[in-house]
Amino acid sequence: MAGLYIHIPFCASRCAYCGFYSTTRADMQDSYIDAVCHELDMRQASADSIDTIYLGGGTPSMLSAGNLDRLISYIYNRYRVSDDAEVTIECNPDDVCRAGFRLPPQVNRVSMGAQTFSDSRLRLIRRRHTANEVTRAVETLHLLNIGNISVDLMFGFPDETLADWESDIDHALALGAQHLSAYSLMYEEGTLLYRYLEQGKIKEISDELSLDMYNVLIDRLTAAGYEHYEISNFALPGFRSRHNSSYWHDTPYIGVGAAAHSYDGNTRSWNTASLDDYISSIEDGIRPCEYETIDAETHYNDLITTALRTREGLQLEHLSPEDRQFALDAARPHIGRGLLAVDDDRLHLTRSGIYLSDSIMSDLMRI
């Protein structure tokens, strides 16, 4: 079984931190969904059946109800979707709060970007919702019988204190969401936030404070009954993101739409990050993408940077004898420092190692 990802690039405005491909050209919505449906036809042979569907963006909740219904129905008509498929859509709180908002009956999971419950910090990062709308949105989703809600949070804002972050965690826990994702604020080149940083208008918090925030996050959420199953992800038992887990567990996935990525175990491909080029090429019957063939070394490195992100870690039995030995040799200094451990033939990060994961993974990769 494979996962199906659909990229919906439309946004009402661009958030100050966002490095994903998006566009404010909402008038292209109908033409874009036409093209996505055509690509779905072109990609049909890529999967025997679909286990998860994920509409990401951009802002998928900006789609009209008609286009959203049309897209979901098209997938179910063209693909064999498992009866218990996880069907996720990313939503902005203000979209959920608008009058008449509804979701197709097949959607059973919503991922919502709250980011913070401080209106001043929301304004800084150019989010278009308010803190109060997050709570209202969750209430609306409950009325729509969505019983699997994930909430995204960010920490490490300029001038944010540990008490501020603890307050955000309190608000998130009060929502009763089944899943929480939390990310350190990143300053990606080309974003508005990055320009603010370069111009001296804002200042990054210290590494020490960032580590304190991350530790508080882990302590508070695990005490509340959430599994810390991936570096940035926490779930109540039974509510892990099945779709995102496929990325971390070497499961094939199909990416449809502008800038969407795909993986079949042997090749990785990515569609053009241009709305006009994507639509015109699909209309000509050509998928506008580039490919990369994955050799043994690349596959090993991919496993290191994905599997080690998870609670289970890297299953050493899945490696060739040579790769297994290489990984264990490279891991030995980190095991000695208590940053990595081996249990039941699994190499995994310890609590102390999580915050240093990037450098540890780099040491284990074949360069």
Side-chain angles (χ1 to χ4, degrees):
M1 288 192 173
L4 176 62
Y5 173 83
I6 311 288
H7 190 68
I8 307 298
F10 304 107
C11 287
S13 58
R14 191 168 182 82
C15 297
Y17 58 85
C18 184
F20 292 113
Y21 173 66
S22 64
T23 175
T24 57
R25 298 168 61 192
D27 58 306
M28 299 292 290
Q29 193 180 123
D30 292 347
S31 299
Y32 183 73
I33 296 302
D34 286 343
V36 165
C37 289
H38 288 152
E39 188 186 354
L40 284 166
D41 286 339
M42 296 165 65
R43 308 289 299 282
Q44 228 176 319
S46 301
D48 294 329
S49 59
I50 297 297
D51 188 45
T52 63
I53 300 168
Y54 194 105
L55 273 61
T59 313
S61 54
M62 275 189 63
L63 287 179
S64 67
N67 273 328
L68 188 53
D69 284 338
R70 180 160 68 104
L71 176 57
I72 295 294
S73 296
Y74 205 88
I75 294 169
Y76 272 78
N77 288 333
R78 291 296 192 277
Y79 287 77
R80 185 157 61 89
V81 180
S82 61
D83 292 338
D84 66 341
E86 177 191 85
V87 183
T88 303
I89 180 172
E90 291 182 350
C91 291
N92 267 24
D94 51 316
D95 288 332
V96 178
C97 291
R98 71 173 182 254
F101 177 82
R102 64 178 178 83
L103 292 169
Q106 297 92 336
V107 172
N108 51 33
R109 184 175 185 271
V110 166
S111 178
M112 189 163 59
Q115 315 310 357
T116 176
F117 293 89
S118 160
D119 284 330
S120 62
R121 288 195 289 271
L122 287 171
R123 287 191 293 271
L124 170 69
I125 59 175
R126 302 289 182 92
R127 293 292 290 178
R128 54 188 173 91
H129 70 269
T130 64
N132 283 337
E133 284 177 316
V134 178
T135 301
R136 288 172 48 206
V138 169
E139 292 169 351
T140 298
L141 292 173
H142 287 157
L143 293 174
L144 294 174
N145 296 316
I146 300 296
N148 190 350
I149 300 171
S150 179
V151 172
D152 285 358
L153 296 176
M154 285 183 173
F155 62 92
F157 291 91
D159 300 319
E160 185 180 17
T161 66
L162 192 59
D164 291 336
W165 175 228
E166 289 183 297
S167 176
D168 272 357
I169 295 173
D170 287 338
H171 278 91
L173 288 173
L175 296 174
Q178 288 72 30
H179 188 281
L180 290 167
S181 299
Y183 305 94
S184 176
L185 182 66
M186 302 298 291
Y187 296 86
E188 294 197 39
E189 193 169 350
T191 64
L192 180 61
L193 214 58
Y194 183 83
R195 291 201 295 275
Y196 285 166
L197 188 67
E198 282 193 314
Q199 293 164 2
K201 293 180 178 179
I202 56 176
K203 184 180 178 181
E204 291 185 78
I205 65 168
S206 68
D207 289 342
E208 291 77 16
L209 179 55
S210 182
L211 176 57
D212 288 343
M213 288 178 169
Y214 187 61
N215 281 325
V216 165
L217 171 74
I218 296 173
D219 290 341
R220 294 291 302 279
L221 294 191
T222 53
Y226 289 81
E227 296 178 306
H228 186 196
Y229 73 101
E230 192 269 346
I231 287 177
S232 301
N233 287 276
F234 302 78
L236 293 176
F239 288 96
R240 295 185 183 191
S241 170
R242 287 162 50 191
H243 183 85
N244 288 342
S245 292
S246 69
Y247 301 146
W248 307 317
H249 293 298
D250 205 32
T251 303
Y253 52 88
I254 303 164
V256 173
H261 287 234
S262 301
Y263 168 71
D264 66 6
N266 299 309
T267 60
R268 190 165 26 236
S269 61
W270 52 97
N271 290 350
T272 181
S274 164
L275 190 68
D276 291 326
D277 290 348
Y278 173 76
I279 292 174
S280 63
S281 185
I282 292 293
E283 286 175 346
D284 291 337
I286 300 169
R287 181 183 164 218
C289 65
E290 296 182 52
Y291 288 88
E292 174 192 14
T293 300
I294 300 172
D295 58 22
E297 182 176 290
T298 302
H299 187 246
Y300 166 81
N301 287 341
D302 286 349
L303 287 176
I304 293 297
T305 56
T306 53
L308 278 184
R309 293 186 62 87
T310 67
R311 179 178 180 174
E312 289 75 20
L314 177 66
Q315 293 281 353
L316 294 171
E317 65 181 2
H318 294 166
L319 301 180
S320 68
E322 293 79 11
D323 283 343
R324 176 192 172 94
Q325 193 59 53
F326 180 89
L328 287 172
D329 288 344
R332 191 166 292 114
H334 298 295
I335 294 173
R337 294 168 59 200
L339 304 177
L340 283 171
V342 179
D343 296 302
D344 299 324
D345 212 35
R346 294 181 301 108
L347 179 66
H348 64 91
L349 292 166
T350 65
R351 167 76 179 262
S352 300
I354 292 174
Y355 199 73
L356 299 171
S357 59
D358 286 348
S359 62
I360 293 171
M361 290 175 188
S362 178
D363 288 346
L364 267 65
M365 292 172 67
R366 290 188 180 274
I367 306 299

